[in-house]
Amino acid sequence: MRYERLIYIILAVVMLLFGCISLFYYMKALQNDVRIDQVHSQEKRDFHFVLIPQETDNDYWRLVEKGAREAEETLDVAVEYNGPKKTSVSEHIEWIEKAIASKVDGIITQGLDEEMFAPVINKAIDKGIPVITIDTDASSSKRSAYVGTDNYQAGFLAGLALIEDTGGKANVGIITGSFEARNMQLRVQGFRDAVQEAPKVEILDIKASNITRIQAAEKADEMISKYSGIDAFFGTSALDSYGIASTVQQRGRTEGVYIIAFDTLPETIQLIRDGIIDATVVQKPYKMGLESVKLLTQIGRGETVEPIHHTGTDILRREDLTKKEPSPYYLEGSQ
Ligand code: BGC
């Protein structure tokens, strides 16, 4: 009797152990596959691509996704939109690694920091997976092509617009998304080079927002406290101007402060309409999504594609809104 009980106990322990081991490996497999089950279940599609932005929970990137979805509809491809919810280089690279492990047919992602991103991009290419850099290029990598803004030119345009709108006299604070991201560095460099031509435009300070409106607001506030003569701001990423605008409003400085923003998200458009933001650099995120999926499809079909596809930039001011509104061009950049 005692002996029988012992056998039962041993059996129960062994079964429990087996259960735990199976669960462990099942969870591990889930982690390693970028929803590979979902990607590969859409077997009828010719290609399965993954779009990995630096931050999925961001309206700018939702527009890129929207463009990619339009291409998905018209071409026989499946596009998965996945990546870090909030910007994080290490997580971003992990997502690219997972896409490589899942053997997707193509990857669309940013080349935010050449040194960090080039190795993983090259790894994908070496495994036969084409990679399109979008929004931010990693030109030293083996990426198949770049689709997006000419970021230096965009920053230069912002500088010229500020000179024109302020009569060439301004004390500027720059809020940039990140000091490490290549697109931000190029925008700031372009801006600096443009305003160098105007002796009365001075850049007082530059601080990073980590692409969040909260940090942009904090940094703008610090600058206003530190520099009494500050009378202009340049926000180099999509949400920076929201933060700058809210600080300027809270400080009751809307009249005396010139703001030039980046992007044409609905809140930016509203702030331009309200006269809080003076101008913005138009990018074409929707077009970037659309074009990158089209290009990957062409590559997948064995076609040769050009390496650089600039999607175009422009400056938008309040008077342009009244002239051209309502226009999907500015809201989605689809034309
Ligand atoms: C940039 C993106 C960035 C986004 C952040 C855009 O202006 O082009 O690289 O992720 O701002 O909100």
Side-chain angles (χ1 to χ4, degrees):
M1 194 60 195
R2 247 175 158 197
Y3 178 71
E4 231 171 58
R5 244 171 93 188
L6 193 68
I7 297 271
Y8 282 136
I9 291 171
I10 291 173
L11 269 178
V13 170
V14 168
M15 277 166 70
L16 195 72
L17 213 67
F18 267 118
C20 288
I21 292 170
S22 315
L23 191 70
F24 172 78
Y25 280 106
Y26 175 70
M27 297 304 286
K28 217 171 155 193
L30 272 189
Q31 273 179 6
N32 281 337
D33 292 341
V34 186
R35 290 164 44 196
I36 192 172
D37 46 338
Q38 275 186 31
V39 170
H40 289 287
S41 68
Q42 300 178 48
E43 287 305 345
K44 64 183 198 315
R45 305 282 182 158
D46 278 352
F47 300 113
H48 302 116
F49 302 138
V50 57
L51 164 59
I52 308 173
Q54 73 178 121
E55 182 166 287
T56 51
D57 189 16
N58 182 306
D59 285 344
Y60 172 87
W61 286 102
R62 284 194 194 97
L63 276 180
V64 177
E65 184 198 2
K66 218 169 152 196
R69 295 268 169 248
E70 188 189 311
E72 187 183 41
E73 290 285 298
T74 49
L75 305 162
D76 200 18
V77 301
V79 180
E80 189 183 340
Y81 175 70
N82 237 327
K85 204 160 181 276
K86 287 287 162 208
T87 187
S88 148
V89 167
S90 56
E91 247 188 80
H92 192 157
I93 290 174
E94 259 173 51
W95 277 101
I96 302 175
E97 291 278 7
K98 285 178 191 172
I100 297 171
S102 300
K103 298 190 173 71
V104 294
D105 298 310
I107 299 170
I108 303 166
T109 194
Q110 290 152 285
L112 275 180
D113 174 330
E114 298 252 2
E115 220 177 284
M116 305 280 283
F117 281 74
V120 72
I121 292 174
N122 293 348
K123 181 173 172 184
I125 298 286
D126 292 344
K127 287 191 179 279
I129 301 174
V131 179
I132 303 269
T133 47
I134 191 170
D135 173 87
T136 317
D137 196 10
S139 56
S140 65
S141 73
K142 299 185 201 166
R143 51 95 172 112
S144 317
Y146 169 65
V147 178
T149 297
D150 177 338
N151 285 298
Y152 176 85
Q153 182 61 20
F156 198 87
L157 275 183
L160 292 184
L162 176 132
I163 297 172
E164 194 181 327
D165 297 347
T166 60
K169 200 168 173 296
N171 293 312
V172 191
I174 302 178
I175 307 289
T176 187
S178 149
F179 287 124
E180 286 78 35
R182 190 70 191 130
N183 57 347
M184 300 292 131
Q185 293 169 348
L186 287 166
R187 289 173 194 182
V188 170
Q189 193 54 52
F191 183 82
R192 282 189 192 282
D193 290 352
V195 301
Q196 222 176 16
E197 300 302 315
K200 290 196 177 139
V201 173
E202 198 191 335
I203 298 173
L204 298 177
D205 208 344
I206 172 162
K207 288 188 187 292
S209 67
N210 201 27
I211 66 166
T212 68
R213 70 162 74 204
I214 294 175
Q215 288 186 48
E218 282 169 9
K219 300 296 155 68
D221 199 63
E222 282 170 30
M223 286 191 199
I224 291 182
S225 299
K226 193 165 170 194
Y227 308 98
S228 57
I230 198 163
D231 57 8
F233 279 99
F234 172 36
T236 75
S237 70
L239 313 184
D240 294 338
S241 59
Y242 300 173
I244 297 169
S246 72
T247 292
V248 166
Q249 280 173 299
Q250 268 172 26
R251 292 276 196 140
R253 297 280 306 271
T254 46
E255 286 307 310
V257 175
Y258 173 86
I259 302 175
I260 179 150
F262 237 91
D263 297 302
T264 50
L265 296 179
E267 200 172 325
T268 311
I269 298 292
Q270 191 53 49
L271 286 162
I272 293 178
R273 225 173 251 143
D274 297 344
I276 315 276
I277 291 177
D278 298 88
T280 194
V281 181
V282 179
Q283 292 200 90
K284 314 272 180 65
Y286 184 88
K287 189 172 177 183
M288 290 181 207
L290 184 77
E291 293 291 315
S292 55
V293 173
K294 278 188 186 165
L295 274 182
L296 266 188
T297 309
Q298 281 174 265
I299 295 170
R301 291 183 181 146
E303 292 171 31
T304 311
V305 302
E306 291 294 322
I308 305 285
H309 299 256
H310 284 147
T311 40
T313 42
D314 208 347
I315 296 291
L316 176 79
R317 297 179 177 87
R318 200 173 175 190
E319 61 265 29
D320 301 317
L321 276 180
T322 44
K323 257 190 272 160
K324 294 171 184 164
E325 186 190 28
S327 163
Y329 174 87
Y330 289 119
L331 297 177
E332 299 191 341
S334 61
Q335 288 164 22

